[in-house]
Amino acid sequence: MLEVGSSVVRRVDARSSRWEEHRVVVRAELVDAAYQAFAKYGPEASMDDIAREAGATKPKLYRHFNDKQGLRAAVVERAKDLMWTNILDAVDFGSEPIGKVMNQLVEQYTQLVDEHRNVFKYLVRSHFSESSSESDQALEDARELAGFIAGHFAAVLENVGADSTGIDLVVQSIIGASLSATDWWINSQADPSAMSRSAFRDHLSAIIWGIIDASSRARGIRIDPTATLHTENIGLL
């Protein structure tokens, strides 16, 4: 009887595992459809539009995402995965100069924005228009890049004995400035004389660096953008 019971448990576990794998595949296909719907219908794409692109029913969307907030969180997750894959392939954090690393990070971000403009219009609008608790939850994964930059900054400050309090403010400032700049750049692209992506990248890099540099100088230290990210390259003012 014990062997029979164990066999039943194994079969149940195998079925549960296959069902979970199926759910992961279906969710990925639905997120693909969301990206296609945003590209086709714009940032106003509805759940009906997304279901139509997926060849699925709207109840199926809700089974996998509960509501549009859940779908938006999955869209953010996809954008984060795309960006981090590109970043890890392109950026050498250990040996490249700090300024070059910053430019490469922003290059990957602006490239993703350019490829999926309507997705980012949708995400930026949601960030600024919805309640803070919903927006914070949905954009939590999107904070990782800003948090990564600020985390390195905090480690540098602590290693030279500088005050690292208020790093969250640096993160929020980078996020707010980047999202506002992104919204402006996307909306400006209808103008034939609009800023190019490379110019946008350079301006955004300068803005982010300006936030970090101003914060470090307020703490009495200077970071050399031509040096690598080591404490010996951080000087007291």
Side-chain angles (χ1 to χ4, degrees), residues 112-223:
L112 194 61
V113 168
D114 198 20
E115 291 173 355
H116 303 286
R117 293 182 189 180
N118 285 335
V119 170
F120 277 85
K121 285 182 74 171
Y122 166 65
L123 295 176
V124 170
R125 288 181 184 181
S126 299
H127 176 76
F128 287 118
S129 66
E130 297 185 6
S131 70
S132 60
S133 61
E134 291 175 338
S135 178
D136 287 348
Q137 180 180 1
L139 287 175
E140 187 61 35
D141 287 324
R143 299 177 189 279
E144 288 194 14
L145 181 56
F148 180 85
I149 295 170
H152 275 283
F153 182 39
V156 167
L157 294 176
E158 290 168 358
N159 284 335
V160 297
D163 182 13
S164 64
T165 59
I167 294 300
D168 286 346
L169 176 58
V170 177
V171 174
Q172 293 301 321
S173 298
I174 291 172
I175 292 170
S178 298
L179 291 178
S180 295
T182 298
D183 187 48
W184 172 85
W185 183 75
I186 292 174
N187 289 329
S188 73
Q189 293 306 291
D191 187 335
S193 62
M195 179 183 291
S196 67
R197 190 184 85 191
S198 60
F200 173 58
R201 175 204 61 209
D202 293 344
H203 279 76
L204 185 57
S205 292
I207 290 167
I208 294 174
W209 180 256
I211 293 171
I212 293 176
D213 185 54
S215 181
S216 64
R217 288 176 180 274
R219 301 161 198 269
I221 64 172
R222 180 185 63 83
I223 302 176

Side-chain angles (χ1 to χ4, degrees), residues 13 16-17 34 42 58 83 94 106-107 109 111 116 118 154 169 181-182 188 204 212 228 231 235:
D13 287 345
S16 297
S17 177
K58 198 156 69 168
M83 185 159 54
V106 177
E107 167 63 23
Y109 172 76
Q111 179 179 326
H116 303 286
N118 285 335
L169 176 58
T182 298
S188 73
L204 185 57
I212 293 176
T228 56
T231 55

Side-chain angles (χ1 to χ4, degrees), residues 35-48:
Y35 272 69
Q36 293 164 8
F38 286 125
K40 187 173 182 179
Y41 301 106
E44 299 82 9
S46 65
M47 293 292 272
D48 285 324

Side-chain angles (χ1 to χ4, degrees), residues 4-117:
V4 173
S6 297
S7 178
V8 170
V9 170
R10 284 196 296 272
R11 286 200 299 272
V12 171
D13 287 345
R15 288 171 184 168
S16 297
S17 177
R18 285 195 297 272
W19 171 242
E20 185 57 35
E21 290 172 1
H22 173 71
R23 282 180 58 84
V24 170
V25 171
V26 171
R27 280 176 62 91
E29 291 171 348
L30 293 175
V31 174
D32 288 342
Y35 272 69
Q36 293 164 8
F38 286 125
K40 187 173 182 179
Y41 301 106
E44 299 82 9
S46 65
M47 293 292 272
D48 285 324
D49 294 328
I50 295 169
R52 186 161 49 249
E53 287 299 306
T57 63
K58 198 156 69 168
K60 183 176 181 179
L61 285 181
Y62 287 122
R63 281 202 304 273
H64 286 274
F65 298 105
N66 296 325
D67 54 23
K68 199 169 185 179
Q69 277 297 120
L71 179 60
R72 181 157 66 89
V75 169
V76 172
E77 180 74 18
R78 171 68 60 80
K80 181 205 73 171
D81 289 344
L82 289 171
M83 185 159 54
W84 274 109
T85 297
N86 292 341
I87 286 171
L88 293 176
D89 287 342
V91 180
D92 185 345
F93 295 101
S95 62
E96 298 282 9
I98 298 170
K100 185 175 181 180
V101 168
M102 178 69 66
N103 288 339
Q104 289 174 322
L105 291 172
V106 177
E107 167 63 23
Q108 298 307 319
Y109 172 76
T110 55
Q111 179 179 326
L112 194 61
V113 168
D114 198 20
E115 291 173 355
H116 303 286
R117 293 182 189 180

